[in-house]
Amino acid sequence: MARKLTPRIVTADEVSEILAPSTVPAPRLTRRPEPGKLRTRANFADVIVSLWTEAEENFLSIGRYLNHAKTVLEHGDFMGMVERDLPFRYSTANRLMKVAAAIDSGMLPADRLPPSYATVYEMVLLNPEERELAVAQGLFRPDTRRQDVIDFKKRLRSAATPDIEAVRTELARLEAERDRIDARITALRAKLSTAGS
């Protein structure tokens, strides 16, 4: 026997909220052909690009929802949701939140970013001077890979930090040269003192 449902009375405010237009874009519900029905390179590429674009949009939306949830929910509720209710760890949530915040604040040029939140997160980690240089060198492009950003950071930061072994070698050379010069000065002073007497 079917269980009888008790109707719930909905208030006018709840109806207004339900019927109000959403500021969040609706998910795409595009019908796609079954993989077995695709035959050409162009067909496969079109579907895959479409899916990839949707994934990019979803990662940004997830980050925005997380940022909003963090402001609305109490600290314990937010962390509990992330730890128990979501299909990813806090570290992933944190990255998604930082990416969304960086894009929404205009810190990163949204129109030139790659579709990978992991790649964009590496861009978020650049300091302001590094970001400016990255823009100047054209690093912010849709085809930039995560490894490209990591390599860029390594190049910049290795140039900024001296090669310790080279510094030690140069210091030892200069100290030896100073010792040689000091010895020569002492010898010349000795000559002068004996010549003057």
Side-chain angles (χ1 to χ4, degrees):
M1 180 178 215
R3 192 171 147 211
K4 187 175 180 179
L5 297 175
T6 307
R8 180 178 168 285
I9 298 173
V10 180
T11 67
D13 287 341
E14 290 174 316
V15 169
S16 294
E17 187 176 325
I18 292 167
L19 296 177
S22 175
T23 58
V24 177
R28 292 187 192 194
L29 299 173
T30 311
R31 284 190 150 289
R32 291 189 183 79
E34 293 294 321
K37 294 183 179 181
L38 300 177
R39 295 287 176 248
T40 68
R41 174 180 172 173
N43 294 146
F44 282 107
D46 287 344
V47 171
I48 293 168
V49 166
S50 173
L51 288 168
W52 191 253
T53 302
E54 285 179 36
E56 173 189 17
E57 291 168 359
N58 288 334
F59 284 128
L60 185 56
S61 293
I62 291 166
R64 287 175 174 151
Y65 274 102
L66 286 165
N67 283 331
H68 188 68
K70 189 169 185 176
T71 64
V72 173
L73 300 176
E74 291 186 29
H75 180 72
D77 284 344
F78 177 77
M79 289 304 293
M81 176 187 74
V82 172
E83 290 172 359
R84 290 183 287 286
D85 302 338
L86 300 181
F88 44 80
R89 296 175 162 208
Y90 179 76
S91 60
T92 301
N94 189 45
R95 287 183 180 109
L96 291 167
M97 291 164 62
K98 286 184 178 180
V99 164
I103 291 170
D104 291 344
S105 71
M107 184 176 98
L108 296 177
D111 59 331
R112 290 183 275 166
L113 297 176
S116 162
Y117 84 90
T119 304
V120 177
Y121 178 72
E122 290 297 330
M123 293 173 171
V124 168
L125 297 178
L126 296 170
N127 66 42
E129 295 80 24
E130 292 170 335
R131 236 184 339 273
E132 193 174 304
L133 191 57
V135 169
Q137 292 183 9
L139 185 66
F140 290 0
R141 303 180 318 273
D143 64 336
T144 300
R145 297 171 305 129
R146 182 173 179 264
Q147 192 60 49
D148 297 334
V149 182
I150 291 170
D151 293 344
F152 173 80
K153 283 194 290 191
K154 281 182 184 174
R155 278 193 313 276
L156 287 182
R157 293 175 184 176
S158 69
T161 54
D163 177 8
I164 297 300
E165 216 34 61
V167 170
R168 285 187 179 134
T169 302
E170 177 70 3
L171 179 61
R173 186 189 67 74
L174 290 172
E175 286 174 338
E177 187 176 328
R178 182 186 62 201
D179 292 344
R180 186 184 56 73
I181 291 171
D182 286 345
R184 182 73 179 134
I185 289 171
T186 302
L188 290 172
R189 283 190 178 140
K191 272 188 180 180
L192 284 174
S193 68
T194 56
S197 32

